[in-house]
Amino acid sequence: MIYQHKGVMIRQTNYSESSRIITILTEDGTQVPLMARGFNKTKSPFIVLRQGLKEVLFTYNRFKGMGTLNEVDVIQPFKRVNGDFVVYTYASYIMELITRALEEEMQQDSFYRLMIKSLSLLEAESEPAGVVSFTAIKMLPYYGGQINVDTCAVCGTTDRSLFSHYSFNYHSVLCGCCIDEETAHRAVPVSNRVLYLAGYMKHTPVDQVDSIRISKENAALLLSFVEMIYDEYTGVYFKSRRLIQTL
């Protein structure tokens, strides 16, 4: 049976001297393995897949198991993402955040929507560290973590301007009025601006975010905070994170 789906290639491996097995994540959130015959040849029709991240219309035959790739047509080339090493490195972090959470039989279309939205935000020149933070916050529940930045764990205030710390004892934010010798144990100072941004990204639906216009400094602080949450609650470490730290 012939299928035609939008998708992004998320994995590839050499099968023979001329062919590769690729895996695409389709628009409905399904992982599809495909044999791309002649992929490595100079005049391959699949040459557009060799470099960079692209949203592509894939045409393929498949009955059960692995399919056979027939045609590819690029929908979004993400020229800025693929043409700037720094931006591409952040994009790789985004891809790893999403693909590491995929399970073999999982069908999760929200992953695909988040992937395309995040890459599109990078393409539109949103602050890269802010986009990675947005992706990481949306993906956190799939790694078994939660981020609670709405209410002070001690007094219950929701006035974000008063938030000053994140407590790993209370698993929530604390306001400046509630910090004392007892509550300060395992509480990390975090600016209320960063906590506000984290809350905004947590609660705003993916399709309602058109840009992430924050300063480079605040984006870096936000990403450090989100990574701290991942370290504490998930135990997952991403290879792309190490590369980002060298930039």
Side-chain angles (χ1 to χ4, degrees):
M1 185 176 293
I2 297 178
Y3 295 90
Q4 196 169 61
H5 284 128
K6 292 180 183 178
V8 176
M9 184 175 72
I10 59 173
R11 285 188 295 274
Q12 57 176 302
T13 184
N14 280 329
Y15 175 75
S16 66
E17 186 175 340
S18 63
S19 300
R20 291 189 193 182
I21 296 172
I22 69 169
T23 301
I24 64 172
L25 180 65
T26 67
E27 58 194 308
D28 64 1
T30 303
Q31 297 179 77
V32 179
L34 297 172
M35 174 65 70
R37 301 191 185 282
F39 189 104
N40 299 327
K41 292 183 178 179
T42 305
K43 295 183 179 180
S44 169
F46 311 132
I47 193 169
V48 295
L49 299 177
R50 290 187 191 171
Q51 294 183 330
L53 300 166
K54 300 175 177 71
E55 185 179 28
V56 174
L57 183 65
F58 293 92
T59 303
Y60 57 92
N61 292 321
R62 191 185 189 204
F63 179 63
K64 287 184 179 180
M66 187 180 302
T68 300
L69 184 61
N70 295 332
E71 295 180 13
V72 294
D73 293 291
V74 176
I75 299 170
Q76 292 195 63
F78 298 118
K79 290 183 179 180
R80 178 175 183 265
V81 171
N82 293 313
D84 185 311
F85 176 75
V86 172
V87 178
Y88 183 81
T89 303
Y90 281 98
S92 298
Y93 197 167
I94 287 167
M95 295 296 290
E96 190 175 0
L97 278 161
I98 295 172
T99 58
R100 284 276 295 274
L102 285 168
E103 297 178 7
E104 192 68 29
E105 300 301 322
M106 174 187 287
Q107 184 173 340
Q108 187 61 269
D109 60 343
S110 64
F111 284 22
Y112 185 81
R113 293 198 307 272
L114 178 61
M115 181 184 293
I116 297 302
K117 172 61 73 173
S118 299
L119 293 175
S120 297
L121 288 169
L122 289 179
E123 188 70 13
E125 301 187 17
S126 289
E127 183 58 43
V131 181
V132 172
S133 299
F134 168 71
T135 309
I137 288 170
K138 293 300 188 186
M139 290 301 302
L140 183 59
Y142 297 99
Y143 288 98
Q146 280 292 340
I147 184 170
N148 302 306
V149 289
D150 302 315
T151 307
C152 174
V154 177
C155 71
T157 183
T158 57
D159 186 347
R160 296 180 185 277
S161 68
L162 300 178
F163 296 162
S164 62
H165 290 70
Y166 193 91
S167 169
F168 290 110
N169 275 352
Y170 293 94
H171 308 293
S172 185
V173 290
L174 298 174
C175 71
C177 301
C178 293
I179 289 292
D180 56 29
E181 186 175 344
E182 180 182 352
T183 60
H185 180 61
R186 297 197 74 228
V188 181
V190 184
S191 75
N192 56 25
R193 176 62 176 167
V194 166
L195 293 171
Y196 167 79
L197 289 169
Y200 175 81
M201 291 179 178
K202 175 183 177 181
H203 295 298
T204 304
V206 169
D207 59 3
Q208 292 182 19
V209 178
D210 296 322
S211 64
I212 298 177
R213 304 294 181 187
I214 58 179
S215 70
K216 188 172 184 177
E217 179 183 5
N218 279 333
L221 290 172
L222 176 60
L223 183 55
S224 293
F225 170 61
V226 173
E227 289 175 337
M228 180 175 63
I229 295 293
Y230 266 76
D231 290 344
E232 179 71 19
Y233 294 126
T234 74
V236 179
Y237 191 83
F238 301 95
K239 294 179 182 178
S240 303
R241 175 178 169 181
R242 186 180 305 136
L243 185 56
I244 291 291
Q245 293 169 345
T246 67
L247 296 177

